[in-house]
Amino acid sequence: MGAFDVRDMMKADAAGAASATSGAQSGNGQTRRFHPLAERIAAMPVKPTLSPVLIEGLARLLDIAIVLVMGTLVYRLYVAGSVASAIIYQIAIPAFAGGTLVTFQMLRLYPIGALRHFAGSAVRLLGGWTMLFLIALAIIFMLKIGSQISRGWLVGFYLGGGAALIAGRFAAAVTIRRLTRSGRLERRTAIVGGGEAGAALIEALEAQPDTGLRICGVFDDRNDARSPDLVAGYPKLGTIDDLVEFARRTRLDLVIFTLPISAEARLLTMLRKLWVLPIDIRLSAHMSKLRFRPRSYSYLGAVPVLDVFDRPIADWDVVVKWLFDKIVGTLALIALSPVMLATAIAVKLGSRGPVLFRQKRYGFNNETVEVLKFRSLRHDMADKAAARQVTRDDPRVTRVGRFIRKTSIDELPQLINVVFKGDLSLVGPRPHAIHAHTANRAYEQVVDGYFARHKVKPGITGWAQIHGWRGETDTEEKIQRRVEHDLYYIENWSVLLDLYILLKTPFSLLTKNENAY
């Protein structure tokens, strides 16, 4: 999905789209499919977006690295081997790196807009770099340490460091523009609420430079004159129910409500449907007469919004969790490979059939993932659809299968999902089979907000499992308690919590396994 093609497509098709009415009830009481334009948008290939916070952080790291490398390089060329003490340079070079970061931050050289526009940021960068050196010269003069610092180093560092910083900023600008053209830096956005409030919000957002927002359409449950089919040139693509499916299929990043805070009942009804999605939800405040303290708002450009829900595990947290999964997962795969090999031999010798069992389960954002397990059931009684849960003394379970299910050794092949496929995490809500049920009711019918557990990647182990909520879910209470623990994990995630769960898992397998058979 490119950066501008969808917007151009929406505006070009606006006239034709106005005649459609997504989400309307047909004569037989069934809901028709998406608005045609929504279908076209949802069918387009979606590239994962990159967090602006992550990009800005990398730009800071690049500047720090350039200053450290250039300061050290010039020292090696002009100073090393002379009688001058190295200690003062070991202090000065990191101090320059820290000063560069603070100065450039004050000059607002790190927002995506500044990184994208090379000419303007280059002028400010040189000005900040020069100011930093003037401050350094003043400090050297006041401390009377001029004789200990090489003038050749100062001049070489100033010229070489400035040139390297400019080159780095040029490379960043080229990269940012390429990512922008490919749509990787855009936040796919939907507006909830049409009419004058929706039109005013869209116009305010479009007037802001470098927000990175791409409005995909408007959604509103109202079908009267208060919510026309076109809002500021964008078509109304459907209702809130349509928005839930649209958000999943298009990997929507942001939903902005234009409803007033006084419409509490409507807001709560809509939020109950949307909070299960892994997206940011904001409430527009640009037309509200109710005023809060400035720190209560976040801003899209200069447009104030109130934060309602945030995507869990976002920005740098995504990188940290990915590294944790890959590093710890690889080490675990190596350490447990003898156990996995012995298990594979035992499964193969114990009964006919393949060693591994593959099953489709819910993954992140309700996407389907294929989970690997050691086969624990008789091959002729395999139940890939999870139509029947495994119960105590279940005749379908093999002798080897009974042991590996009790100890969860059957789950170890999922390390392959973590390390190589990337569709599972080491820690997270356990992936459930798509048609799993309890007491003849699907899980999503038993637990209100069940799909909120899919706001993060599923895991091999989780907060629910170390508290004993694993194995058979033959009662509604068991699945409810499991989901409660999953949601607690999502809301309180940290690397330390992941590490705690991993360390606690072996002990819980021995002490809390009454439901595993």
Side-chain angles (χ1 to χ4, degrees):
M1 184 178 291
F4 301 105
D5 54 337
V6 173
R7 172 176 291 189
D8 294 341
M9 177 183 66
M10 287 193 294
K11 291 184 176 180
D13 291 355
S19 61
T21 54
S22 172
Q25 297 293 321
S26 60
N28 58 10
Q30 297 180 342
T31 303
R32 297 200 298 268
R33 68 172 192 162
F34 274 167
H35 185 294
L37 187 54
E39 286 282 2
R40 290 178 59 190
I41 297 172
M44 299 181 71
V46 177
K47 296 180 180 179
T49 56
L50 298 175
S51 165
V53 174
L54 180 62
I55 298 297
E56 293 167 9
L58 291 175
R60 293 182 178 92
L61 291 176
L62 176 63
D63 285 345
I64 290 174
I66 288 173
V67 173
L68 291 175
V69 169
M70 291 304 301
T72 303
L73 180 62
V74 175
Y75 169 79
R76 294 291 182 187
L77 292 175
Y78 287 94
V79 183
S82 68
V83 295
S85 172
I87 296 178
I88 195 165
Y89 293 97
Q90 293 172 356
I91 297 173
I93 294 173
F96 266 105
T100 299
L101 183 63
V102 172
T103 302
F104 288 3
Q105 186 72 36
M106 293 173 61
L107 293 173
R108 296 188 56 79
L109 286 169
Y110 293 115
I112 289 293
L115 294 172
R116 182 182 292 119
H117 301 295
F118 170 72
S121 63
V123 173
R124 283 183 291 158
L125 183 148
L126 285 176
W129 182 244
T130 301
M131 181 178 67
L132 182 64
F133 265 80
L134 292 176
I135 293 173
L137 290 174
I139 293 173
I140 292 171
F141 175 78
M142 288 187 293
L143 295 179
K144 299 180 179 179
I145 55 175
S147 60
Q148 301 178 46
I149 297 180
S150 167
R151 287 188 291 273
W153 177 79
L154 283 172
V155 173
F157 188 20
Y158 172 74
L159 296 176
L165 287 168
I166 289 295
R169 189 51 58 112
F170 178 77
V174 171
T175 303
I176 295 297
R177 289 177 181 176
R178 184 179 296 119
L179 292 172
T180 300
R181 284 194 298 270
S182 66
R184 299 293 300 278
L185 293 181
E186 292 181 331
R187 299 183 70 190
R188 292 180 282 271
T189 304
I191 307 298
V192 175
E196 294 182 3
L201 173 63
I202 291 174
E203 291 169 359
L205 291 174
E206 290 188 327
Q208 305 300 313
D210 297 316
T211 61
L213 300 184
R214 177 160 58 79
I215 300 172
C216 295
V218 179
F219 293 81
D220 199 335
D221 282 338
R222 299 174 299 179
N223 287 310
D224 52 26
R226 295 174 298 171
S227 180
D229 292 326
L230 280 176
V231 181
Y234 290 90
K236 186 171 71 174
L237 299 181
T239 64
I240 297 301
D241 290 327
D242 295 322
L243 175 56
V244 174
E245 181 62 22
F246 181 82
R248 293 198 187 282
R249 291 173 59 182
T250 60
R251 287 290 187 95
L252 210 62
D253 299 301
L254 174 66
V255 171
I256 308 176
F257 281 81
T258 63
L259 280 66
I261 297 177
S262 57
E264 180 179 354
R266 284 186 65 202
L267 277 172
L268 291 176
T269 299
M270 294 178 178
L271 289 173
R272 286 190 63 185
K273 298 177 180 179
L274 294 177
W275 77 279
V276 301
L277 298 170
I279 59 176
D280 295 325
I281 299 179
R282 302 289 183 260
L283 178 62
S284 171
H286 79 294
M287 291 185 65
S288 176
K289 296 181 180 179
L290 186 61
R291 290 287 177 255
F292 298 94
R293 297 176 62 186
R295 284 181 294 178
S296 301
Y297 299 103
S298 59
Y299 291 86
L300 302 172
V303 179
V305 294
L306 296 172
D307 297 348
V308 180
F309 288 112
D310 289 319
R311 181 201 306 262
I313 311 182
D315 302 327
W316 280 101
D317 289 342
V318 175
V319 178
V320 171
K321 188 166 178 63
W322 183 86
L323 290 173
F324 182 87
D325 284 340
K326 296 302 181 183
I327 295 172
V328 179
T330 300
L331 294 175
L333 191 59
I334 295 171
L336 295 170
S337 57
V339 177
M340 295 175 67
L341 178 60
T343 304
I345 295 172
V347 170
K348 191 64 178 178
L349 296 178
S351 61
R352 294 180 180 178
V355 170
L356 294 178
F357 173 71
R358 303 170 186 269
Q359 187 177 57
K360 299 291 185 181
R361 297 192 177 188
Y362 277 125
F364 171 72
N365 198 30
N366 280 25
E367 295 173 356
T368 302
V369 298
E370 185 177 66
V371 171
L372 302 176
K373 299 180 66 174
F374 284 121
R375 180 176 57 83
S376 59
L377 303 185
R378 291 173 51 184
H379 182 54
D380 58 336
M381 295 184 176
D383 182 14
K384 291 191 175 183
R388 174 186 166 192
Q389 291 194 41
V390 175
T391 58
R392 189 183 299 275
D393 299 322
D394 196 314
R396 298 176 297 166
V397 182
T398 66
R399 286 181 299 174
V400 174
R402 203 169 304 282
F403 173 75
I404 63 176
R405 291 180 69 89
K406 192 76 172 178
T407 57
S408 288
I409 292 176
D410 63 324
E411 311 284 1
L412 291 182
Q414 289 164 34
L415 288 170
I416 297 173
N417 286 89
V418 174
V419 176
F420 295 107
K421 300 176 71 175
D423 49 15
L424 289 189
S425 182
L426 284 175
V427 181
R430 286 291 298 141
H432 290 163
I434 294 175
H435 302 294
H437 60 273
T438 181
N440 295 320
R441 295 178 65 197
Y443 287 166
E444 60 267 28
Q445 296 174 343
V446 174
V447 182
D448 185 29
Y450 167 78
F451 289 123
R453 68 191 300 276
H454 301 153
K455 294 165 81 170
V456 298
K457 282 184 184 180
I460 298 178
T461 184
W463 186 248
Q465 282 62 49
I466 66 171
H467 286 85
W469 300 107
R470 55 186 286 259
E472 185 184 14
T473 53
D474 54 336
T475 66
E476 293 186 1
E477 180 194 6
K478 287 181 179 179
I479 186 61
Q480 287 172 345
R481 294 300 302 276
R482 183 180 291 189
V483 173
E484 287 173 7
H485 282 73
D486 290 338
L487 297 182
Y488 175 88
Y489 167 80
I490 292 172
E491 294 169 1
N492 296 275
W493 175 85
S494 69
V495 174
L496 291 179
L497 181 60
D498 273 4
L499 187 59
Y500 172 80
I501 292 171
L502 284 179
L503 295 176
K504 191 76 180 292
T505 294
F507 300 100
S508 66
L509 292 176
L510 298 174
T511 59
K512 298 179 180 180
N513 57 9
E514 57 273 10
N515 293 321
Y517 25 79

